[in-house]
Amino acid sequence: AQDYEQARYYYLLAAEMNHRDAMYRLANIYEKGLAVESDVAYAYKWFKKAAQLGNVDAQYRLGMLYSKGDYLEHNYKEAAKYFRLAALQGHSLSQYELGMLYKKGLGVAQDYTEAARWLKLSLKSWVLLKATKRIVIAAKVETKKVYNKFHLTAHLLSTFITRRQPCYREIIGSK
């Protein structure tokens, strides 16, 4: 709880200086009620500001809020607007949701060609995202292995030299 309180404090400072990612994170804290009482109206305010400044996650979240009608009244036209903003930035979940809205004709004119386009794009984005994550994870694992081998080698070499140092001093004739 202490961490969320401190995070909320700093996110609020940054959000008030128009930092869009801080706005999004602050909105999450208020929506989920982390170390504060849940306040969806206040969360919505920050999601909307972050979305207007181009935060893709806030755009997606607003799309979901409008399409699900959890806290806001269903408004598929607004959902499509925010999903499109995020989808155009390559957000795979927004591309999927937008495709489904086109398929069902919710908030947009029903258009199976547009639906297929967005759904295919979401699949490509998702596959690319997963592949990228796997590459990053593999690189981190490999880097850790190399670091561990280097660290072990350095430790063994240091131990060897420390234990054998008098012997080497005699061989090279130094004290």
Side-chain angles (χ1 to χ4, degrees), residues 58-166:
Q59 292 165 343
Y60 170 73
R61 189 67 193 123
L62 281 175
M64 290 304 292
L65 289 172
Y66 280 117
S67 70
K68 300 294 181 198
D70 291 338
Y71 307 115
L72 305 172
E73 190 173 321
H74 277 284
N75 186 334
Y76 291 111
K77 189 174 180 179
E78 283 294 300
K81 170 185 152 184
Y82 286 109
F83 285 142
R84 182 180 316 283
L85 289 170
L88 290 171
Q89 294 185 66
H91 192 266
S92 62
L93 293 173
S94 294
Q95 292 166 338
Y96 172 81
E97 294 294 339
L98 185 59
M100 293 306 291
L101 291 179
Y102 272 109
K103 179 182 176 234
K104 297 173 184 177
L106 298 171
V108 293
Q110 190 171 39
D111 185 334
Y112 292 115
T113 304
E114 273 297 289
R117 181 174 85 85
W118 285 110
L119 292 170
K120 285 179 188 176
L121 200 54
S122 78
L123 182 60
K124 286 180 185 175
S125 296
W126 185 82
V127 168
L128 181 61
L129 177 67
K130 290 296 178 189
T132 303
K133 283 184 178 179
R134 284 191 186 125
I135 290 168
V136 168
I137 289 169
K140 284 181 181 178
V141 168
E142 194 57 37
T143 301
K144 190 170 185 175
K145 284 181 186 177
V146 169
Y147 172 78
N148 287 341
K149 285 180 184 177
F150 172 77
H151 186 70
L152 179 61
T153 303
H155 176 71
L156 291 174
L157 185 58
S158 173
T159 303
F160 177 77
I161 290 172
T162 303
R163 289 185 181 164
R164 301 285 187 185
Q165 199 169 14

